[in-house]
Amino acid sequence: MCGIVGIIHTDGKPVDRVELARLTNTLSHRGPDGDGFHVDANVGLGHRRLAIIDLESGEQPLSNEDGTVWVVLNGEIYNFKELRETLASRGHLFRTKSDTEAIVHAYEEWGVDCLNHLRGMFAVALWDARRKRLLLARDRMGIKPLCYYRAPGIFAFASEMHAFRSLQDFHPTLDYEALDLYLHFQYIPAPSSIYREVRKLPPAHYLLLDAQGNVQGPVRYWQFEFRPNHRLKEKDWVERIDAGLRDAVRSHLVSDVPFGAFLSGGIDSSLVVAYMSELMQEPVRTFTIGFEDDEYDERPFARYVSETCKTDHHGEV
């Protein structure tokens, strides 16, 4: 989990580095391993990092060779190694081993269509200095959050809405329709937020902002499609599901730091741990939180799965 922020003064006013740092550090809980900044006149990008891949040279914001494309990323790109190979074969030069740099060169190669080449969970912001435009995008399922604030003379974005309170130019008004949604559903669906001036970027959407503050979007770049195939038999579906789950778990095992899995003993977490145990050389570290009330305590189920999969298990009350 990382945190990304940005400020674009659409009236041309230079970005205040102190204000950008203040905005970025409101998300220090999302990225305790460091921060980074890039300022280009009226545009500023900030990043709080939780280091998982390329611990030495994966700092952000990260740019291309000539500094005309800058990216901040919250999340992971699971197919970044395959993308690196494809892009390197087309002449792109990489100076880090991070998944973030794959986005930089993918954008150089395919433009906004690079989003259709990314497999992962992400909220990404990219500043194209040549075109003087900002690209914001979220992953297909909306796993990583991203919201943005628009007001005369300013456009800002952040991983969490409370970050905007550190801006001098943040003067929000209550959105009563959003409040009504909250009272009905106990949450506010995207793209609304509790403030009229703040919007959540929906999953599988991108937004483009030019230097004058003109916005294109949000635009949907991917749509889930359900197409039944009645020609396949149950055995075929079982094989497809098995292959899909195995591939999904395998893609999540890329890390330069130790990792584990929460294990409740239910179907979802047990399946993930079972595939991890097959794919990893060492025992999977599994963790369970228990309760003194037996009705709510999942430790016996988790312990059974742990013993079956031979995991390095940790359970606490």
Side-chain angles (χ1 to χ4, degrees):
M1 183 171 70
C2 298
I4 64 174
V5 303
I7 302 172
I8 297 89
H9 286 299
T10 53
D11 57 7
K13 184 175 71 173
V15 167
D16 183 341
R17 290 177 178 268
V18 174
E19 184 176 38
L20 178 63
R22 186 169 62 244
L23 178 67
T24 304
N25 288 330
T26 61
L27 301 180
S28 58
H29 58 284
R30 298 183 65 91
D33 295 328
D35 56 19
F37 311 94
H38 170 68
V39 175
D40 179 7
N42 64 319
V43 177
L45 304 177
H47 185 263
R48 289 293 314 196
R49 187 184 188 202
L50 176 65
I52 295 176
I53 296 174
D54 193 5
L55 307 186
E56 298 299 324
S57 60
E59 295 86 359
Q60 299 181 42
L62 193 149
S63 74
N64 61 349
E65 299 92 324
D66 62 4
T68 57
V69 175
W70 287 85
V71 168
V72 284
L73 167 70
N74 169 30
E76 294 181 56
I77 307 302
Y78 301 133
N79 64 331
F80 78 98
K81 291 185 177 180
E82 295 89 338
L83 281 173
R84 285 173 65 95
E85 292 179 5
T86 299
L87 293 164
S89 70
R90 300 189 181 193
H92 293 271
L93 301 177
F94 289 80
R95 65 179 185 277
T96 76
K97 298 179 181 178
S98 72
D99 53 345
T100 307
E101 192 173 8
I103 301 175
V104 172
H105 296 293
Y107 177 81
E108 288 184 303
E109 184 69 26
W110 298 300
V112 175
D113 191 53
C114 70
L115 298 172
N116 292 306
H117 294 263
L118 303 181
R119 179 184 178 190
M121 55 175 183
F122 58 84
V124 62
L126 181 149
W127 172 245
D128 184 334
R130 284 199 187 100
R131 295 182 175 87
K132 298 295 181 184
R133 75 177 183 184
L134 176 76
L135 168 67
L136 299 182
R138 284 183 75 194
D139 61 78
R140 295 177 178 185
M141 294 291 107
I143 298 173
K144 294 300 180 181
L146 190 59
C147 53
Y148 56 94
Y149 167 65
R150 292 183 69 189
I154 186 172
F155 180 98
F157 65 86
S159 296
E160 298 179 17
M161 184 171 60
H162 76 89
F164 298 137
R165 291 191 170 276
S166 69
L167 294 173
Q168 291 182 350
D169 295 327
F170 186 59
H171 306 292
T173 54
L174 189 65
D175 187 334
Y176 289 99
E177 291 184 5
L179 178 60
D180 183 63
L181 288 171
Y182 177 77
L183 294 175
H184 273 83
F185 304 117
Q186 297 301 297
Y187 82 105
I188 301 175
S192 298
S193 86
I194 196 64
Y195 299 126
R196 293 184 184 276
E197 297 82 4
V198 177
R199 286 292 176 262
K200 305 169 191 171
L201 187 64
H205 281 70
Y206 71 83
L207 176 149
L208 291 171
L209 174 83
D210 67 23
Q212 289 73 43
N214 300 311
V215 172
Q216 177 186 339
V219 178
R220 179 179 288 276
Y221 69 85
W222 179 83
Q223 177 69 57
F224 176 78
E225 294 182 5
F226 179 74
R227 290 178 292 189
N229 187 341
H230 300 292
R231 292 176 298 176
L232 294 178
K233 298 180 180 179
E234 181 179 349
K235 176 177 177 295
D236 301 319
W237 284 115
V238 170
E239 291 177 353
R240 287 195 176 193
I241 293 172
D242 176 64
L245 287 171
R246 188 180 304 277
D247 182 55
V249 172
R250 181 189 292 110
S251 69
H252 284 63
L253 299 181
V254 180
S255 176
D256 293 332
V257 295
F259 62 89
F262 288 115
L263 177 60
S264 69
I267 293 175
D268 297 347
S269 64
S270 299
L271 269 175
V272 170
V273 168
Y275 282 109
M276 290 176 71
S277 299
E278 291 182 11
L279 294 166
M280 294 174 60
Q281 298 296 322
E282 66 277 4
V284 180
R285 298 180 185 87
T286 53
F287 302 86
T288 300
I289 297 175
F291 297 90
E292 294 181 352
D293 189 333
D294 291 342
E295 185 178 353
Y296 301 103
D297 191 14
E298 299 173 323
R299 285 176 298 173
F301 307 104
R303 192 177 300 114
Y304 174 79
V305 176
S306 172
E307 292 171 354
T308 302
C309 296
K310 297 180 173 58
T311 74
D312 176 13
H313 190 59
H314 307 267
E316 303 257 343
V317 175

